[in-house]
Amino acid sequence: MNISEDKTICFIIKRGNKMSKKGKTAKTIAIMIILGFFGRILGFFRELLIGSKFGSNAKTDTYFVAIASISLFTVMVTNTLNTIVIPILSDIEKKDGKLSKIRETNNILNIFMLVSLLLIVISYFMSPYIMKIVGIGFKSKEQYELGITLMRIGLPTIFFASIQGVLRGYLQSEESFKETSVISYPFNLIQIIFLIVYSTIFGVKGLMIAFVIATGSQIFLQIYSINKFKFKYSLYINLKSNYIKKIMYLIPGILLSIGITDLNTVIDKSMASTLKDGSISALNYAEQLAVSFRGILIGAILTVTYPIFSKEVSKSNFINLKKLIIHSINIILIITIPSTIAIIILSEPIIKIVFERGKFNETATLMTCGALVYTIMRMTFSSIRHLIQNVFYSLQDTKTPLIISSLGVVINVSFNFILIGPMEHRGIALATGISAFFSSFMILFLLKRKIGSLGLSKSLICTVKCLFSSIIMGVIIHCLFNILLIKLKLSIIISFMISTVVGGIVYLLLIYFFKIEEFRMILDLCINYIKKRKTQR
């Protein structure tokens, strides 16, 4: 299996014909999926506790609005720096060596720590005005003032975000990806401890403080990881550096692109604040579940492929880049299409299992279930859009993702106004899905114009096969779950587990029967790996 045989899935699985010094990329992805899975389980437990301790009401709505307002800054800072730093540092190391790479990393880190402190000060004084916009539907002065207080408490996370973005970019430029999977451990554990021990004493303000401490704790993991690469921190600052100038040139496009994407979330919550109490919380719980599912299923693939895209672009190897893109899209389709259908069918039992206890009652379950169905519909499209955005960033094209993100916001807001009346908070979730659908097709079309034909007919065939197999799987899951739960009187958890396992097996058999190339490649690699392990014993 090699490149000349059109087996470029090996870029995802093996990084070419040879194993790197750090082992196969397949092993990296497997480790990331496993570590990420346990991190997501902790995240599930955190959200479960928030739902149980605080329920779905005006206070939780205010907390989630404040989190969304802060995240608009933190996610922009972290993702922008991470996205820019990876190709820049790879370029520095290739041209000037490792010591220059470390020096420029310190330069970037110090400059953006100072910028983040300035942003915190500005945001502190602007918080009342920000809260008037994002909390436009708040019902009382007390809720508005609580929102301002919560936002101000959470502002230090902007400083932590600037550090995390640079350090993560450095680690991934060294092809070290484990940090991405395990960094959620301290973040979730600290909040879980607070929720179990202190939530009844300190309430939502204490929860925001725990959020800040949890965010800061992630940096210690990054420091531990980065020390393995002999990185040494220094107070080096050089504003005249050519690389800083290049970063400053690239930042506006990426910052706006990422910021506009996250602005969708803020707009959704702002519009949901005009609906009945609990609507924002329902959207948030559904979004957290959807993000967790996507992170578990394809987060590792999106993370690992981006540096590979950058390396292929740096070598001007566009033939292999295109093959890698198509294989990556097909793997996303194989994973996300059946997952979407299964989650839609089992949305109510999922919410009951994860959230329905304590202050999270049946009404909250129904509201969150309605949001989850429409939120999860966009998983395939948002995953593909994210993948193709990374291709553009590896090409150092920040303008195209910005245009797509801007159009996505326009589509999202337009459909929000159309659907919020008849569908309430579910309409907001559906509007975001419609936006993701159009955005994914538009960005694929523009990539084709930029680098030529991608061979998307292969992905279309893969989509049809996966969709047909998933529909059959969905029918089996639906029927089997109801038989086990209603007729055989088994518990909801046992019924859920059996039906999903049986449905999953049926799906895998069907796509094997349909001879989907990427699935057979991965299966062959797994079989060969098992055989190799046995011979080594």
Side-chain angles (χ1 to χ4, degrees), residues 296-356:
I296 291 170
L297 295 169
I298 61 160
I301 294 169
L302 293 174
T303 300
V304 172
T305 52
Y306 178 44
I308 303 173
F309 289 154
S310 297
K311 289 184 183 295
E312 292 305 309
V313 170
S314 68
K315 294 185 291 186
S316 299
N317 197 344
F318 290 100
I319 294 175
N320 285 330
L321 176 66
K322 292 177 185 179
K323 291 176 181 178
L324 173 59
I325 292 168
I326 292 301
H327 284 306
S328 300
I329 290 173
N330 289 354
I331 290 173
I332 288 172
L333 294 170
I334 290 167
I335 296 171
T336 59
I337 291 175
S339 301
T340 300
I341 290 176
I343 293 167
I344 289 172
I345 291 169
L346 297 171
S347 57
E348 188 171 345
I350 287 171
I351 301 300
K352 284 181 179 291
I353 292 167
V354 176
F355 292 120
E356 195 176 285

Side-chain angles (χ1 to χ4, degrees), residues 60-106:
T60 53
D61 283 356
T62 309
Y63 171 77
F64 290 130
V65 164
I67 287 286
S69 303
I70 298 162
S71 296
L72 182 61
F73 295 104
T74 58
V75 173
M76 277 198 301
V77 171
T78 302
N79 290 351
T80 299
L81 290 175
N82 182 41
T83 302
I84 289 174
V85 163
I86 291 173
I88 294 291
L89 292 184
S90 297
D91 191 41
I92 293 172
E93 186 171 17
K94 183 179 177 181
K95 292 179 179 177
D96 303 323
K98 188 67 171 284
L99 290 177
S100 179
K101 176 180 177 179
I102 293 172
R103 185 180 67 252
E104 289 300 330
T105 301
N106 279 305

Side-chain angles (χ1 to χ4, degrees), residues 336-452:
T336 59
I337 291 175
S339 301
T340 300
I341 290 176
I343 293 167
I344 289 172
I345 291 169
L346 297 171
S347 57
E348 188 171 345
I350 287 171
I351 301 300
K352 284 181 179 291
I353 292 167
V354 176
F355 292 120
E356 195 176 285
R357 57 186 56 79
K359 293 184 180 181
F360 199 100
N361 55 28
E362 189 174 349
T363 301
T365 295
L366 292 174
M367 288 182 69
T368 307
C369 177
L372 179 61
V373 168
Y374 293 105
T375 299
I376 205 66
M377 284 182 178
R378 68 175 186 261
M379 180 162 61
T380 299
F381 306 114
S382 61
S383 299
I384 292 173
R385 182 186 63 195
H386 189 164
L387 179 83
I388 304 305
Q389 273 183 344
N390 285 346
V391 177
F392 276 104
Y393 292 145
S394 68
L395 293 164
Q396 298 190 11
D397 178 353
T398 59
K399 184 178 178 181
T400 302
L402 173 59
I403 293 170
I404 295 299
S405 297
S406 302
L407 290 172
V409 170
V410 172
I411 294 169
N412 180 54
V413 173
S414 300
F415 278 96
N416 272 346
F417 281 111
I418 294 169
L419 299 173
I420 194 172
M423 297 180 68
E424 297 183 319
H425 67 289
R426 292 168 297 170
I428 293 174
L430 178 57
T432 309
I434 293 170
S435 171
F437 172 80
F438 283 110
S439 296
S440 63
F441 279 97
M442 286 189 291
I443 200 166
L444 276 169
F445 173 75
L446 292 176
L447 181 64
K448 181 182 176 182
R449 287 185 61 182
K450 189 174 185 70
I451 64 174

